[in-house]
Amino acid sequence: MRIATTTIFSLGSNALQMHQNTQAKLQAQLSANRRVLTPADDPIASARILDLAQAQSINGQYATNSATADSFMRLSESTLQQVTSTIQNVQELAVRAGNPALAASEKKMLDAELQGRYQELLGLANTTDGQGNYLFSGFKGDIKPFTEAAFGQVTYQGDDGRRLVQISDGRQLPISEAGSDIFQKIKNGNGTFVTAYNAANTGSGIVGPGEVTDPNKWALAPAPRDFSIQFQVLPDPANITKNITTYDLVNTTTGVSLIDGATVPRAAGTAFPRTYAEGADIEFKQLATDPVAIPVVPAWDYGIKTHVKGAPAASATSNDRFSVKTSTNVDLFSTLGALSSALNTYQSGSTGAAVFQNQLNTALSDLSNSLGSVVTRQAYLGARMNETDSVKDTTEDMKLQYTTTLTALEGLDYAAAISDFAENQMVLDATRKSFAQVQDLSLFKYI
């Protein structure tokens, strides 16, 4: 068999090239500590590695997002904790102001402290995260949420949205809060209805906040659920040296008594349907002791009650009254403004004391509701921070899983690779030597 010289050179060259390529590949694998360097090395593993690398990158971003969200919410929670402490300080101040031993000048001194608490709350409501983003402006992170026109008159400039951060495939977590929900949308009274003092009252009556005995019945009461408790004081027919105080429950919208259907105001000197007893329940429902109305008033029950303490008054021209209405939204800043006004306008005497106590009770009730609003928001934040902690654990577990899988797919068996490298180096050296010897095989050397 004849073998051409060119064939010998070609076969030797190809062998050298093959072993050099193998050696280069092994060297590259050892340098990178990876088995799969190109898709050609293992197409199936390469595709899987690409998917896992993308998933690992997204998982890392979720971990970053969770940390960012947690940091933002912790700052919000810390700020709300300061708001809680400030409201509690104002409550203590209001309780101190209710001390009857304090003179008008001393109550005004308390107002100076209240002014400072007010500014503190306004500053907390406008807190930023250190990067210029406001905590309580909803979506509008770059807009200052609360602006003040005058003491107690604060306007919300943000919106009702909440900024969201993606912390996992199926979860977007709200991290910002709408300041209107925390500081403004606060139900007054007991949250269902609110009792209020009439500025024209001349007696010493103080109305309680009331309570709901049946929420469904109150909800079914005819809108707009605007009532008043009106008082009458007349001589006792059995003992003209004493007076009897009676009261009526009136639908303010229609001007008709709920109890007997009479049109209000009644004729001068007319006793009202129910007898007043200080501190006793004033129930907004038909009682067995109510006088028989002509025409008959259908049975009614609005599911609420309240009470009045002190001595309501009446005159020939007016009757003391207290309103009972559906609760509406009030804001924390106007509550402090109303308390400040009460401290500055206090007047001595039984009537002045009654006016002030009613104003103080309203302020304390609204402060309590404000505190409840803030604490509720803190609870929501706490729940979401717990969620970020849980997501952090999940992302860490996923990170470990991705790393383990990637290592299995592209990881290099270092010992085997070094052994292959040494073996191939030996083969390559042998190939070089044999090729060098084959190069000398020529007939011309023997002519």
Side-chain angles (χ1 to χ4, degrees):
M1 177 179 171
R2 296 179 179 178
I3 300 177
T5 302
T6 56
T7 302
I8 294 174
F9 273 90
S10 178
L11 290 173
S13 176
N14 289 341
L16 279 171
Q17 187 66 41
M18 180 187 68
H19 289 302
Q20 284 176 340
N21 289 340
T22 301
Q23 197 71 344
K25 180 181 176 181
L26 288 168
Q27 185 176 22
Q29 287 178 332
L30 287 167
S31 298
N33 193 26
R34 289 189 313 170
R35 180 180 65 86
V36 180
L37 298 176
T38 67
D41 294 336
D42 189 336
I44 295 176
S46 182
R48 180 62 178 148
I49 288 168
L50 180 61
D51 289 340
L52 285 171
Q54 285 182 307
Q56 188 178 46
S57 177
I58 293 172
N59 186 68
Q61 187 59 56
Y62 287 152
T64 301
N65 290 355
S66 294
T68 301
D70 186 71
S71 176
F72 196 95
M73 289 188 295
R74 286 188 186 281
L75 179 57
S76 297
E77 196 278 334
S78 175
T79 302
L80 290 182
Q81 183 57 50
Q82 295 179 63
V83 172
T84 297
S85 298
T86 305
I87 294 175
Q88 290 172 335
N89 290 335
V90 174
Q91 287 177 312
E92 293 174 6
L93 183 149
V95 172
R96 276 187 284 146
N99 185 347
L102 295 180
S105 60
E106 292 172 306
K107 295 185 188 299
K108 289 182 179 180
M109 291 172 62
L110 289 175
D111 181 57
E113 180 181 347
L114 179 64
Q115 300 270 347
R117 298 299 182 188
Y118 170 90
Q119 293 300 330
E120 183 179 351
L121 282 171
L122 188 59
L124 290 170
N126 287 325
T127 300
T128 65
D129 65 353
Q131 297 180 350
N133 297 311
Y134 289 95
L135 300 181
F136 307 121
S137 60
F139 283 130
K140 300 179 178 180
D142 58 340
I143 301 296
K144 185 178 181 180
F146 294 97
T147 57
E148 181 186 27
F151 185 81
Q153 298 178 20
V154 174
T155 304
Y156 181 60
Q157 303 293 336
D159 59 27
D160 294 333
R162 291 189 292 178
R163 280 162 278 163
L164 304 176
V165 171
Q166 190 90 26
I167 62 170
S168 66
D169 285 338
R171 178 61 167 139
Q172 287 185 317
L173 194 70
I175 62 168
S176 67
E177 300 294 331
S180 56
D181 291 337
I182 301 172
F183 298 99
Q184 290 193 317
K185 295 179 181 178
I186 302 167
K187 292 297 183 184
N188 57 4
N190 55 32
T192 300
F193 68 92
V194 56
T195 59
Y197 179 84
N198 182 11
N201 288 359
T202 58
S204 60
I206 300 171
V207 66
E211 62 180 279
V212 181
T213 57
D214 191 327
N216 293 328
K217 290 179 179 178
W218 173 254
L220 294 173
R225 294 189 284 276
D226 185 353
F227 310 110
S228 67
I229 308 169
Q230 300 186 13
F231 290 87
Q232 176 64 284
V233 181
L234 295 172
D236 184 351
N239 185 353
I240 59 174
T241 62
K242 296 183 178 180
N243 290 330
I244 292 181
T245 301
T246 55
Y247 69 91
D248 195 2
L249 305 180
V250 179
N251 185 325
T252 307
T253 304
T254 62
V256 173
S257 169
L258 299 175
I259 300 173
D260 61 9
T263 301
V264 179
R266 299 172 185 266
T270 302
F272 290 170
R274 292 182 183 175
T275 301
Y276 167 69
E278 182 177 0
D281 286 341
I282 297 177
E283 300 182 84
F284 277 71
K285 69 177 183 179
Q286 196 172 61
L287 301 179
T289 54
D290 287 343
V292 178
I294 302 175
V296 175
V297 175
W300 58 283
D301 184 351
Y302 294 160
I304 64 171
K305 66 180 181 179
T306 186
H307 67 271
V308 174
K309 293 184 178 180
S315 66
T317 57
S318 67
N319 308 92
D320 280 7
R321 65 189 64 198
F322 301 93
S323 65
V324 178
K325 300 180 180 181
T326 299
S327 292
T328 57
N329 289 332
V330 295
D331 67 81
L332 178 58
F333 305 105
S334 63
T335 295
L336 267 62
L339 178 57
S340 175
S341 177
L343 291 171
N344 282 289
T345 58
Y346 171 77
Q347 294 181 352
S348 58
S350 60
T351 299
V355 170
F356 180 75
Q357 191 59 51
N358 277 285
Q359 293 172 327
L360 200 59
N361 288 347
T362 298
L364 284 168
S365 175
D366 290 344
L367 285 169
S368 178
N369 293 343
S370 298
L371 185 61
S373 174
V374 174
V375 170
T376 298
R377 194 59 52 181
Q378 282 183 278
Y380 290 152
L381 280 169
R384 295 204 295 271
M385 285 190 290
N386 287 338
E387 187 173 353
T388 61
D389 289 339
S390 176
V391 169
K392 284 178 187 176
D393 293 339
T394 302
T395 54
E396 285 297 320
D397 291 342
M398 293 298 294
K399 179 181 178 181
L400 178 60
Q401 181 179 343
Y402 288 139
T403 301
T404 302
T405 306
L406 282 170
T407 300
L409 287 171
E410 66 179 2
L412 182 67
D413 185 341
Y414 223 75
I418 291 174
S419 177
D420 290 343
F421 182 85
E423 180 182 357
N424 192 73
Q425 183 66 45
M426 180 182 66
V427 173
L428 180 60
D429 291 342
T431 303
R432 288 194 187 113
K433 290 178 181 179
S434 64
F435 183 61
Q437 291 178 358
V438 169
Q439 282 181 338
D440 289 337
L441 296 178
S442 173
L443 292 175
F444 291 102
K445 296 181 64 175
Y446 300 98
I447 294 175

